[in-house]
Amino acid sequence: MNNGTFPVGNICADTPTGDVTQTIVVGSHSDSVTAGPGINDNGSGSAASLALAVTLARLFQMTNYAKYAYRIRFCWWGAEELGLLGSAYHVAQAQNSTIIGERITDYLINLNFDMLASPNYIFGIYDGSTVDNTTTSRSAIPGSNKVSALFRDWFIRQKLPWDYTPFNGLSDYAPFLTAGIVAAGLFSGADDFKTQEQRDRYDTLLGQGQGGTADVSQDPCYHKACDSVQNINVAGYEKMVQAAAYVIEFLARQTDLKTWLYPPTAN
């Protein structure tokens, strides 16, 4: 695809096994704004997806690790910061494709990881209940809610704080939701301020002095030149990647993921 005078590219990599007509799409955008290097936004999400893909490839080489019944497709979207161009193009191509494995009907869910290591982070989970009913097919809503709860329950079991963050259509999950595909994901925060309540709650669960700073944005370097390698909270990042790995494994081990995500009552 092209945007003006320069090309915009997506990169996708698939597991070599698994049903291509039942695909779990794991996506992160690979671009940044021109104002900064974009190490948190979205080097953190891109690197997490790469680490998850490499880890899964290594696990698949182990004879005692059962292969998934579903194909996992890892995608790095181009030009998210210019208006979700890469993911929107991919979804549009899938909607028009008749190639088995490349059709929109072959996609079960999109897991979106966009900003996972904000310095004044929250453990943010996209809230399926805030999906825009005017732009989202009803079929995508129940599954989005279920996966939101799946992430939430993982943080609770780990005795970690968590917050729901709204689906506001500002990241690469939006084209999938519009196409009726279940979506979910994690978000560590951008220019919203951490509240005193959040700071106290995180401090209680993470340990004294670990709750961050109240009345300061979750990422003070959001879309700025200081979004460098120093703009990463490693401790928070680690937990977000672990949560992502858990949900991928949980979904991929379902006997009938399609019915789990799209219960008949939703139709």
Side-chain angles (χ1 to χ4, degrees):
M1 86 204 85
N2 292 306
N3 180 58
T5 58
F6 60 90
V8 176
N10 297 322
I11 300 172
C12 291
D14 298 338
T15 52
T17 59
D19 185 351
V20 300
T21 69
Q22 299 192 74
T23 298
I24 298 168
V25 181
V26 179
S28 303
H29 74 87
S30 58
D31 65 319
S32 68
V33 294
T34 55
I39 299 302
N40 186 34
D41 184 17
N42 184 37
S44 63
S46 289
S49 291
L50 181 58
L52 291 165
V54 170
T55 300
L56 190 59
R58 289 173 177 167
L59 288 171
F60 275 16
Q61 292 176 352
M62 299 171 60
T63 57
N64 61 346
Y65 188 82
K67 305 296 192 297
Y68 296 156
Y70 311 101
R71 178 178 65 176
I72 313 295
R73 169 166 284 182
F74 293 92
C75 289
W76 291 265
W77 312 118
E80 187 264 4
E81 300 289 4
L82 299 178
L84 316 182
L85 298 186
S87 55
Y89 177 85
H90 184 90
V91 169
Q93 291 292 102
Q95 288 175 311
N96 292 324
S97 180
T98 58
I99 300 172
I100 295 174
E102 303 299 326
R103 306 164 299 183
I104 197 67
T105 54
D106 298 324
Y107 287 169
L108 296 179
I109 183 173
N110 168 235
L111 295 173
N112 188 66
F113 302 122
D114 184 1
M115 299 181 65
L116 300 183
S118 302
N120 198 29
Y121 66 88
I122 60 169
F123 290 129
I125 303 164
Y126 291 129
D127 184 359
S129 69
T130 65
V131 169
D132 185 352
N133 291 325
T134 64
T135 61
T136 302
S137 169
R138 285 185 67 251
S139 63
I141 296 174
S144 298
N145 275 315
K146 292 179 78 171
V147 184
S148 294
L150 191 62
F151 277 114
R152 178 201 65 200
D153 292 346
W154 183 87
F155 283 103
I156 292 172
R157 286 196 302 275
Q158 300 300 314
K159 295 181 171 56
L160 294 170
W162 59 276
D163 286 279
Y164 275 143
T165 187
F167 271 115
N168 54 19
L170 298 180
S171 193
D172 291 300
Y173 57 78
F176 290 90
L177 283 175
T178 300
I181 304 301
V182 168
L186 298 172
F187 176 64
S188 59
D191 50 0
D192 285 341
F193 280 30
K194 179 171 276 189
T195 66
Q196 186 67 49
E197 183 278 330
Q198 287 174 321
R199 183 267 172 200
D200 293 345
R201 177 161 44 89
Y202 279 57
D203 211 50
T204 298
L205 289 170
L206 297 176
Q208 187 66 33
Q210 302 302 309
T213 306
D215 302 319
V216 172
S217 62
Q218 294 148 4
D219 182 0
C221 288
Y222 177 61
H223 284 186
K224 296 178 182 177
C226 58
D227 187 11
S228 65
V229 291
Q230 284 74 41
N231 193 45
I232 295 294
N233 188 303
V234 175
Y237 189 28
E238 181 182 61
K239 298 303 182 186
M240 293 290 254
V241 177
Q242 289 173 353
Y246 167 78
V247 167
I248 292 171
E249 179 76 9
F250 179 94
L251 296 174
R253 294 302 182 194
Q254 293 304 298
T255 302
D256 184 356
L257 181 58
K258 187 171 185 178
T259 299
W260 192 87
L261 290 171
Y262 302 90
T265 54
N267 298 327

